[in-house]
Amino acid sequence: MANIYAIKARIRGVESTQKITRTMKLVSTSKLHQTQGQLYRLGSFADKCRQSLRLVLTGLEGEEDCPLLQSRAVGRVCYVLFIGNRGLCGAYNTDVLRYLKGLLHREETEYFTVLCGRWSGEHRTDRELRVRQCFDDISDVPRPEECKALSNYLQELYLSGEADRIVLVYQRREALGQKPCRFQLLPLEQEEGESRGGDCIFEPDRQTLVNTLSRMYVDNSLMKVLLEAKVSEHFARMTAMTNATDNAEELMRELSLSLNRTRQAKITTEISEVVGGANALRNGD
């Protein structure tokens, strides 16, 4: 009897856990669709903003023309790590943190890090990371004002000279899975195949466009990376909760089979006892 009650209690516990994991899967799926929609709408605009900035930078002379994007000797590097708001997302947080530490081990100059995500609170005191600031109020579906606060902080770091290079570290979803990667936000890197200008008329003037587009480039590039990181996080959590739900279903089948076997054994034992008792009474008569 005790075994049957224990198995039934275990089945009820697994059923309760399965309801939680299924609900978390649905929530993650909903947030994934929201962030994917934002990323789809922003992605093309961010790319065009970068191309436009490259176009107006053509022909400018002197680094003072564009202080936000000017290249200079690298004395200190700022790494911005985008990490999850919580756990239960498989190896998402562990993988991106391990990737960052691999970059830090190879870094030959002075560095510090800025952490983005509520899970970053566990790593504030990590001496290896040298955490300068934590932005732990970024929601699961990022809002523009949250990204703007981070963007203003990073721009101030670069303009004040506290950081000579700013690198974003995050995890991006790809066709065959998810992959940690890096993206240099400041200064702007030249990529092969990018357009280097043409016959254009600038209104009001080229310098004004540079100042405007440079800040738009930083804001939109940062928002795009933030959305890509959130899409990867929600996808990882959805996958983890799907696996947990499937495992709970499989465990419930095994427990039900064990319950049926235990119940059948109990019934068989009781029948044997009844038959044995009847035979004993018959022999006694």
Side-chain angles (χ1 to χ4, degrees):
M1 294 292 291
N3 289 335
I4 293 179
Y5 292 147
I7 294 175
K8 287 183 177 180
R10 182 76 186 281
I11 291 177
R12 288 194 296 269
V14 174
E15 286 179 343
S16 177
T17 301
Q18 187 186 45
K19 290 179 182 178
I20 295 174
T21 57
R22 184 181 289 115
T23 302
M24 293 183 65
K25 171 188 173 182
L26 294 176
V27 172
S28 297
T29 302
S30 175
K31 291 179 179 179
L32 174 63
H33 290 163
Q34 293 181 56
T35 50
Q36 280 182 326
Q38 289 190 22
L39 180 60
Y40 177 78
R41 292 188 293 269
L42 178 68
S44 298
F45 180 77
D47 294 338
K48 290 298 182 182
C49 181
R50 180 187 180 91
Q51 294 175 11
S52 300
L53 179 59
R54 279 296 181 190
L55 180 64
V56 299
L57 284 176
T58 303
L60 285 181
E61 298 180 357
E63 294 182 346
E64 67 279 359
D65 293 328
C66 188
L68 187 61
L69 303 178
Q70 66 183 357
S71 299
R72 52 181 181 249
V74 179
R76 184 179 300 174
V77 181
C78 171
Y79 286 94
V80 184
L81 175 66
F82 293 89
I83 206 165
N85 280 340
R86 60 184 64 86
L88 299 177
C89 52
Y92 173 84
N93 292 322
T94 305
D95 287 346
V96 71
L97 185 60
R98 184 185 302 114
Y99 178 77
L100 172 62
K101 289 188 175 182
L103 294 177
L104 298 181
H105 289 162
R106 296 191 298 269
E107 185 60 60
E108 298 179 354
T109 60
E110 187 178 351
Y111 68 86
F112 61 90
T113 62
V114 175
L115 304 183
C116 301
R118 284 194 290 272
W119 201 69
S120 63
E122 300 183 9
H123 305 281
R124 289 176 182 267
T125 58
D126 192 330
R127 295 184 178 180
E128 185 178 3
L129 296 180
R130 304 177 188 175
V131 179
R132 172 72 66 88
Q133 179 75 332
C134 286
F135 288 83
D136 53 4
D137 56 350
I138 297 177
S139 48
D140 290 332
V141 182
R143 298 188 299 271
E145 55 269 22
E146 297 172 347
C147 182
K148 185 64 177 178
L150 175 61
S151 177
N152 291 339
Y153 177 77
L154 296 180
Q155 291 181 44
E156 182 61 29
L157 285 179
Y158 193 77
L159 292 175
S160 64
E162 293 186 61
D164 301 307
R165 185 169 65 209
I166 297 179
V167 180
L168 309 181
V169 179
Y170 63 104
Q171 191 158 208
R172 180 173 57 195
R173 183 185 173 191
E174 296 183 348
L176 300 179
Q178 301 187 102
K179 178 182 178 181
C181 57
R182 62 184 295 276
F183 172 73
Q184 181 170 308
L185 181 67
L186 294 172
L188 181 63
E189 287 184 313
Q190 172 64 26
E191 297 180 0
E192 296 183 2
E194 282 188 325
S195 174
R196 291 298 298 172
D199 296 330
C200 301
I201 298 176
F202 299 99
E203 181 66 31
D205 58 79
R206 189 192 297 260
Q207 187 60 50
T208 302
L209 287 176
V210 167
N211 294 332
T212 302
L213 286 175
S214 61
R215 295 189 177 276
M216 288 180 62
Y217 155 75
V218 175
D219 292 342
N220 289 290
S221 296
L222 193 59
M223 187 65 179
K224 181 181 178 182
V225 168
L226 178 57
L227 288 173
E228 287 181 340
K230 285 300 179 183
V231 166
S232 181
E233 178 188 352
H234 295 321
F235 180 77
R237 185 169 291 107
M238 182 187 69
T239 302
M241 292 300 101
T242 299
N243 294 335
T245 302
D246 294 342
N247 292 339
E249 185 69 28
E250 179 64 25
L251 181 57
M252 287 173 59
R253 284 196 294 266
E254 294 178 359
L255 290 173
S256 297
L257 181 60
S258 177
L259 177 62
N260 292 335
R261 287 175 176 173
T262 303
R263 184 184 291 115
Q264 184 64 42
K266 178 177 179 296
I267 294 173
T268 302
T269 301
E270 291 177 349
I271 292 175
S272 299
E273 291 175 352
V274 171
V275 172
N279 291 335
L281 291 175
R282 187 180 300 110
N283 293 334
D285 293 341

